[in-house]
């Protein structure tokens, strides 16, 4: 819970958040790991796509994530950019049930 709280706070300082989804626990996919706590955010930014991506990586590092930690099977924080303007990223993620659920919930009016 600490890292998701740090992520929400960090994102709120970096971009203009319209809203956050609820937190949702999911099983790890493709690795042996404890469950992950996920959430989604929708917002706007003046940052370019590249600057935003770099900033998200910095946020991960500030929460203790690193290549060495991941190699050891520990993922402290993973922040992915799923959409920028009208372009979708991580097409396989968009097929995952929890992404679909959180996106439907966060975009419901």
């Amino acid at each position: 819970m600490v890292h998701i709280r740090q992520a929400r706070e960090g994102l709120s300082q970096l971009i203009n958040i319209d809203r956050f989804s609820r937190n949702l626990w999911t099983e790890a996919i493709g690795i042996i790991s404890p469950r992950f706590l996920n959430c989604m955010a929708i917002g706007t930014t003046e940052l370019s796509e590249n600057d935003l991506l770099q900033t998200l990586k910095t946020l991960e590092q500030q929460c203790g994530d690193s290549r060495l930690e991941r190699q050891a099977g520990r993922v402290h924080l993973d922040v992915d950019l799923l959409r920028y303007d009208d372009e979708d990223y991580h097409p396989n993620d968009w097929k995952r049930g929890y992404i679909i659920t959180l996106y439907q919930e966060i975009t419901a009016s």
Side-chain angles (χ1 to χ4, degrees):
M1 288 293 282
V2 171
H3 292 133
I4 199 101
R5 190 170 35 253
Q6 288 175 319
R8 285 176 179 251
E9 291 170 5
L11 286 172
S12 295
Q13 293 173 8
L14 299 171
I15 63 177
N16 301 314
I17 299 291
D18 292 331
R19 63 191 158 278
F20 282 105
S21 72
R22 66 184 166 112
N23 293 337
L24 180 65
W25 286 101
T26 60
E27 297 300 321
I29 299 171
I31 62 170
I32 297 172
S33 172
R35 296 182 309 158
F36 288 99
L37 187 57
N38 297 275
C39 77
M40 187 176 282
I42 291 180
T44 58
T45 183
E46 296 295 321
L47 294 172
S48 70
E49 176 187 346
N50 287 335
D51 288 344
L52 179 57
L53 287 169
Q54 182 57 50
T55 304
L56 296 178
K57 290 300 166 199
T58 300
L59 178 59
E60 291 175 347
Q61 292 166 356
Q62 290 170 344
C63 289
D65 206 63
S66 70
R67 197 169 278 167
L68 287 175
E69 286 292 293
R70 287 183 182 226
Q71 289 172 348
R74 295 182 295 267
V75 179
H76 297 275
L77 182 66
D78 184 26
V79 182
D80 290 320
L81 180 62
L82 294 177
R83 178 172 289 154
Y84 186 91
D85 287 336
D86 293 327
E87 188 169 346
D88 288 345
Y89 299 90
H90 303 282
N92 289 332
D93 287 358
W94 284 102
K95 298 173 188 172
R96 294 183 174 160
Y98 74 94
I99 295 289
I100 294 166
T101 297
L102 292 177
Y103 184 72
Q104 287 172 342
E105 290 176 5
I106 201 169
T107 57
S109 297

